[in-house]
Amino acid sequence: MTPEFWRGRRVLLTGHTGFKGAWLALWLERLGADVGAVALAPDTEPSLFEALSPWPRLDGHLGDLRDPAVALEAVAKARPEIVFHLAAQALVRRSHAQPVATFETNVTGTVNLLEALRTAPTVKAVVVVTSDKVYANHGRGGAFSEDDPLGGADPYSASKACQDLAAAAYHKSFLAARGVGVGRARAGPGIGGGDGAADRRVPDCGWGRAA
């Protein structure tokens, strides 16, 4: 992660209005990347994305990746070399209340983006951020390895496992032949400033939330 690599690099970032997405957008800006971005409006009030503004090197747009046209437009505008896909419905409890929307966002949104990237001439690498909840949990204890089978007993976990499989399928079926790398980052919960979402492990006292 050196400025020499990222300076002037064209990047597409999805989910830039969320907690992890906003911090990644700031990091990429500081490194000198030219960042195109698409996401829904911020989900919290106040929001980290708005607190970090202005964004001099970020060309951000509001849009829903469940619409294929939004994904196509985002890719066409950004003309990215590198793509970070963080847009997601990331809350387990919300997935129980809104299972259809969770699958649509996490699976259909990802497929729409990958389909838009399938013929994008500039793209060289894609990082799809999934979750550490993608593994089939049989309650045996111990840590999972990347070779463990995927699964999910709740809508959130299952949707992220499907997202992971979709990314792997698009890589093997379409993108690898063009020399495009696809990584799946099975990230765990993040802890840091500006996270005002519900049900977080460490509520953000900086936003005045009750601990």
Side-chain angles (χ1 to χ4, degrees):
M1 296 296 291
T2 63
E4 291 75 22
F5 176 83
W6 291 99
R7 189 175 297 116
R9 188 78 61 182
R10 298 190 63 84
V11 177
L12 173 60
L13 169 61
T14 75
H16 65 286
T17 60
F19 168 55
K20 291 181 180 178
W23 281 119
L24 180 55
L26 182 64
W27 192 6
L28 290 168
E29 270 206 344
R30 296 285 175 87
L31 290 168
D34 291 324
V35 185
V38 61
L40 298 177
D43 194 42
T44 63
E45 177 61 41
S47 83
L48 176 63
F49 174 73
E50 292 169 346
L52 292 174
S53 61
W55 295 90
R57 299 183 68 88
L58 178 75
D59 184 18
H61 301 273
L62 296 182
D64 192 335
L65 290 175
R66 290 178 291 182
D67 182 348
V70 170
L72 285 167
E73 184 178 11
V75 171
K77 284 184 175 180
R79 295 182 290 109
E81 298 175 74
I82 299 172
V83 179
F84 291 101
H85 178 43
L86 277 70
Q89 194 303 92
L91 301 175
V92 174
R93 188 178 298 182
R94 184 180 294 178
S95 80
H96 286 275
Q98 302 173 2
V100 174
T102 297
F103 277 98
E104 287 177 342
T105 299
N106 293 346
V107 184
T108 304
T110 298
V111 170
N112 286 340
L113 176 65
L114 291 168
E115 180 64 16
L117 293 170
R118 184 159 69 93
T119 55
T122 57
V123 66
K124 298 177 181 177
V126 183
V127 178
V128 177
V129 178
T130 62
S131 171
D132 61 354
K133 305 294 190 297
V134 298
Y135 299 106
N137 190 348
H138 301 295
R140 300 191 183 106
F144 293 109
S145 74
E146 291 186 355
D147 296 326
D148 285 333
L150 304 188
D154 62 88
Y156 172 74
S157 301
S159 72
K160 298 302 275 187
C162 291
Q163 179 190 42
D164 199 292
L165 289 168
Y170 262 80
H171 181 227
K172 292 177 182 177
S173 297
F174 307 116
L175 296 171
R178 295 178 44 215
V180 179
V182 177
R184 289 111 69 203
R186 295 170 180 170
I191 296 173
D195 185 6
D199 301 327
R200 294 305 195 193
R201 292 187 177 186
V202 180
D204 195 325
C205 298
W207 290 146
R209 293 175 58 87

